[in-house]
RNA sequence: UGGGGUGUGGUGUAAUUGGCAACACAGCAGAUUCUGGUUCUGUUAUUCGGGGUUCAAGUCCUCGCACCCCAACCA
């Protein structure tokens, strides 16, 4: 695996692996290691997910454990079966096929509901009739304690009755929520009576119309981990402040087994790239790109169509490691892994992108010392095709850094489509999806659907261009 | 404004846990080469700041500074 990076044995282990080792040596989970990858099926996987995926799956593999795929489908507003299928497909391509049926948070809705009633009975949860603005205002602010809701001290009986009627669909969306009864003065905002259930009369992609209330992320996540037997629940840094809540919920419940523990790490950011699902969806919706699999997209399906080898992505993820430092990796590093792979695997072929017809008259005079190279294909035998050259979708290293809006750095001319290219005949045999090197021009991926359309995966290292640039 | 987190070359990640700051990408110089590619060799450059402990500090203590996250019925 470690192509780069000198003897990996002598490199330090990251803090996550260190933690797992410590747990194993102290017998915390009796040596058991179980992780999970929990995507929400409301979009496709991107390069940022690849980091989490390799961490979750490889960590489990290294320690002889397992990693569950669990769809975090607690919000029926945006989730779709199409995304479930797409994610499964992308995962398999990346090298982590799921055997058997995937898991879903929605599988645990009934258990979650029972546990919610348990909290109500113990006076640890209550139905709040306030609207969202009131709840938000009551939460206070940074340095300002919150105030208790006027509905906070209802009787257990009333809470139970109301909660059951919420489930039955008797109330309007937004009219009531179930909240945990923790501490409105807590210094951590997440602990100021967080919402556990909201009312949604929306069709869920799996449970259909059987529910009118849906658990929030916080109420569902740790419990789902516990139900599945997850030991190490890895997530990104922004959930750091949720950890006390994660632990609090688990501490109140009669869990079937081990208590999972959440550990946070820094998400992957790349230069010239956005990975916000909302932004990516926007690019697709606005027609800025061809779709989720446009070769300029940082989605796994985009990278795949562009010709990035899955192994290159995996090795990149392994190489950059995990830490708790917010950082942005240069996309050139990813590209160097791509070149390293393609250099070994790609066939070399000749192509002329801007053909000029010329006649060679002194052909037999050959045999002299080569002074320069003629780049050519035979006009009589060449086949015709199209190449797509790409600039970075966002011209700035950090999209939006200057103005606050990443879209200001969008390069709308990032696609350079060349028709009428001339290819050497052997290229006619290129299988769909295969990547070849056009000598001196770069690596090009044959489109999976359109014959003789080639996407430039990445250029060659180009010393000439660098020398030019300097002057 | 309160809480939490993070600071190591241009970028990112390490440092046998107190013992010569290393690896990769990028850069620079050269060799090889029928791809201005590949391969090979050499090389530039780093511990946020001030104090302190110690024979010895990136690592420990202390006071600062900078940046990130948190007041969705998103995840």
């Amino acid at each position: 695996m470690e192509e780069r990076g000198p003897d990996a044995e002598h490199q330090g282990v990251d803090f996550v692996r260190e933690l797992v080792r410590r747990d194993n040596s102290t017998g915390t989970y009796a040596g058991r290691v179980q992780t999970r990858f929990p995507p929400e099926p409301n979009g496709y996987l991107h390069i940022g997910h690849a980091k989490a995926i390799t961490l979750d799956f490889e960590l489990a593999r290294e320690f002889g454990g397992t990693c569950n795929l669990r769809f975090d489908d607690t919000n029926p507003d945006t989730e779709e079966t199409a995304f479930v299928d797409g994610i499964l497909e992308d995962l398999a391509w990346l090298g982590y096929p799921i055997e058997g049926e995937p898991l879903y948070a929605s599988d645990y809705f009934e258990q979650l509901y029972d546990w919610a009633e348990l909290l109500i009975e113990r006076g640890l949860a209550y139905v709040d009739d306030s609207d969202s603005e009131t709840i938000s205002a009551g939460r206070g602010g940074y340095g300002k304690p919150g105030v208790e809701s006027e509905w906070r001290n209802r009787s257990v009986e009333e809470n139970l009755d109301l909660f059951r009627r919420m489930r039955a669909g008797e109330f309007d969306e937004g009219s009531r929520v179930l909240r945990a009864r923790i501490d409105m003065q807590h210094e951590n905002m997440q602990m100021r009576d967080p919402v556990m259930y909201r009312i949604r009369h929306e069709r869920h992609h799996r449970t259909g119309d059987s529910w009118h209330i849906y658990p929030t992320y916080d109420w569902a996540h740790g419990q789902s981990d516990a139900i599945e037997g997850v030991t190490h629940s890895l997530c990104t840094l922004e959930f750091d402040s949720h950890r006390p809540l994660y632990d609090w919920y688990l501490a109140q419940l009669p869990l079937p087994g081990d208590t999972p523990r959440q550990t946070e790490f820094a998400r992957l950011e790349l230069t010239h790239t956005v990975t916000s699902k909302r932004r990516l969806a926007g690019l697709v919706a606005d027609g800025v790109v061809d779709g989720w699999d446009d070769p300029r997209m940082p989605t796994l399906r985009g990278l795949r169509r562009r010709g990035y080898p899955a192994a290159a992505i995996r090795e990149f993820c392994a190489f950059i490691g995990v830490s708790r430092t917010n950082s942005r990796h240069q996309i050139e590093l990813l590209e160097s892994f791509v070149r390293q792979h393609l250099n070994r695997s790609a066939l070399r072929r000749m192509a002329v992108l801007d053909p000029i017809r010329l006649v060679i008259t002194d052909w037999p005079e050959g045999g002299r010392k080569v002074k320069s190279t003629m780049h050519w294909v035979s006009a009589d035998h060449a086949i015709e095709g199209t190449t797509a050259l790409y600039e970075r979708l966002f011209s700035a290293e950090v999209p939006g850094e200057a103005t606050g809006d990443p879209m200001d750095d969008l390069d709308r001319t990032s696609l350079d489509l060349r028709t009428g290219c001339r290819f050497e005949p052997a290229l006619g045999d290129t299988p769909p999806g295969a990547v070849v090197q056009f000598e001196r021009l770069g690596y090009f991926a044959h489109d999976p659907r359109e014959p003789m359309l080639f996407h430039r995966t990445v250029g060659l290292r180009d010393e000439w261009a660098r020398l030019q640039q300097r002057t």
Side-chain angles (χ1 to χ4, degrees):
Chain A
M1 203 175 60
E2 253 70 19
E3 280 287 336
R4 291 304 162 85
D7 37 344
E9 299 299 323
H10 274 258
Q11 290 292 300
V13 289
D14 56 70
F15 78 100
V16 176
R17 276 164 246 257
E18 204 170 301
L19 170 72
V20 173
R21 285 183 186 184
R22 204 179 319 131
D23 284 340
N24 283 352
S25 71
T26 57
T28 306
Y29 294 112
R32 210 165 57 79
V33 176
Q34 188 174 334
T35 58
R36 103 267 89 114
F37 174 62
E40 185 186 11
N42 67 347
Y44 290 100
L45 265 22
H46 55 67
I47 184 72
H49 292 111
K51 176 181 180 178
I53 292 165
T54 53
L55 212 212
D56 286 326
F57 283 89
E58 294 297 338
L59 185 79
R61 195 182 51 77
E62 283 165 37
F63 289 91
T66 55
C67 176
N68 301 347
L69 171 67
R70 178 176 75 236
F71 287 102
D72 213 337
D73 56 350
T74 58
N75 182 355
D77 293 353
T78 55
E79 295 156 5
E80 297 173 21
T81 307
F83 290 124
V84 168
D85 298 337
I87 288 170
L88 252 15
E89 205 177 280
D90 292 341
L91 230 26
W93 174 74
L94 223 212
Y96 304 98
I98 303 305
E99 49 216 60
E101 287 301 301
L103 303 171
Y104 298 84
S106 54
D107 291 339
Y108 317 132
F109 280 177
E110 197 64 49
Q111 173 66 265
L112 256 11
Y113 177 86
D114 289 344
W115 277 340
E117 286 208 351
L118 183 65
L119 291 199
I120 292 174
E121 283 160 13
R122 305 231 310 263
L124 294 173
Y126 63 98
V127 173
D128 194 324
D129 298 0
S130 312
D131 57 32
S132 60
E133 292 75 37
T134 307
I135 290 178
S136 176
R139 198 115 51 195
Y142 303 140
K144 283 173 284 269
V147 294
E148 297 186 352
S149 165
E150 57 177 310
W151 310 103
R152 197 175 199 260
N153 295 312
R154 292 216 244 230
S155 68
V156 168
E157 292 67 34
E158 191 183 1
N159 277 321
L160 234 29
D161 173 61
L162 252 14
F163 186 50
R164 286 170 182 162
R165 289 163 61 193
M166 280 170 64
R167 172 177 185 166
E170 289 186 30
F171 306 122
D172 291 339
E173 289 193 4
S175 61
R176 288 181 168 81
V177 292
L178 184 74
R179 298 177 73 177
R181 197 164 182 275
I182 307 181
D183 180 2
M184 291 307 290
Q185 334 271 316
H186 201 106
E187 60 197 13
N188 184 339
M189 292 289 201
Q190 305 299 332
M191 301 296 272
R192 322 246 259 227
D193 290 12
V195 171
M196 295 168 64
Y197 278 95
R198 67 295 205 175
I199 299 171
R200 282 287 176 284
H201 303 300
E202 185 87 27
R203 188 179 188 83
H204 184 277
H205 76 115
R206 293 191 75 241
T207 61
D209 296 318
S210 51
W211 290 88
H212 293 92
I213 55 173
Y214 290 90
T216 54
Y217 166 87
D218 288 300
W219 172 242
H221 206 90
Q223 283 65 263
S224 301
D225 285 341
I227 291 167
E228 293 177 5
V230 167
T231 55
H232 302 265
S233 186
L234 277 22
C235 64
T236 46
L237 246 27
E238 65 268 29
F239 292 102
D240 182 286
S241 60
H242 294 240
R243 185 167 8 110
L245 181 56
Y246 181 102
D247 292 337
W248 188 89
Y249 282 139
L250 292 175
Q252 316 309 319
L253 302 169
L255 303 179
D258 290 324
T259 303
R261 227 160 64 250
Q262 172 181 305
T263 301
E264 314 82 23
F265 63 92
R267 65 169 350 109
L268 170 63
E269 301 278 10
L270 286 178
T271 55
H272 301 286
T273 306
V274 301
T275 46
S276 143
K277 238 188 247 181
R278 201 186 106 241
R279 300 266 181 216
L280 297 179
L283 293 171
V284 174
D286 298 346
V288 172
V289 295
D290 212 12
W292 287 95
D293 67 344
D294 185 290
R296 290 165 293 179
M297 290 283 273
T299 50
L300 294 186
R301 47 196 46 215
L303 298 176
R304 169 174 39 167
R305 184 147 170 240
R306 181 138 177 184
Y308 277 39
I313 295 174
R314 274 187 261 122
E315 282 169 23
F316 168 75
C317 290
F319 186 76
I320 61 175
V322 284
S323 73
R324 288 177 65 87
T325 312
N326 285 310
S327 59
R328 189 174 290 263
H329 290 261
Q330 293 175 330
I331 195 159
E332 288 83 356
L333 181 63
L334 208 208
E335 290 174 340
S336 80
F337 276 88
V338 171
R339 281 197 196 93
Q340 175 186 282
H341 270 264
L342 262 19
N343 178 49
R344 291 189 305 231
S345 64
L347 295 169
R348 313 287 132 131
R349 298 273 107 111
M350 278 295 176
V352 177
L353 304 197
D354 295 302
I356 305 172
R357 183 168 202 105
L358 73 152
V359 179
I360 300 173
T361 54
D362 63 344
W363 179 250
E365 296 293 325
R368 294 170 309 230
K369 187 169 167 58
V370 175
K371 292 210 187 71
S372 66
T373 310
M374 182 70 67
H375 196 86
W376 66 283
V377 296
S378 159
D380 289 342
H381 307 283
I383 55 179
E384 211 175 309
T386 303
T387 53
L389 307 181
Y390 300 104
E391 293 297 326
R392 327 216 107 113
L393 233 198
F394 294 89
S395 51
E397 281 209 340
V398 184
E401 190 179 37
T403 64
D405 183 4
M407 295 308 277
D408 291 334
D409 293 313
L410 184 73
D411 181 358
R412 289 177 185 276
T413 63
S414 50
L415 167 62
D416 177 4
L417 203 61
R418 310 273 182 100
T419 54
C421 304
R422 295 298 197 283
F423 302 144
E424 72 169 282
L427 275 171
D429 303 328
T430 312
V435 184
V436 297
Q437 185 194 104
F438 290 175
E439 287 205 28
R440 306 170 67 201
L441 298 176
Y443 297 98
F444 287 75
H446 195 193
D447 191 81
R449 293 181 295 277
E450 194 181 331
M452 290 304 105
L453 166 61
F454 287 87
H455 307 281
R456 180 153 72 182
T457 309
V458 63
L460 265 21
R461 264 179 99 249
D462 190 348
E463 189 165 339
W464 193 47
R466 276 182 287 138
L467 292 173
Q468 298 290 299
Q469 223 170 36
R470 244 190 286 169
T471 55

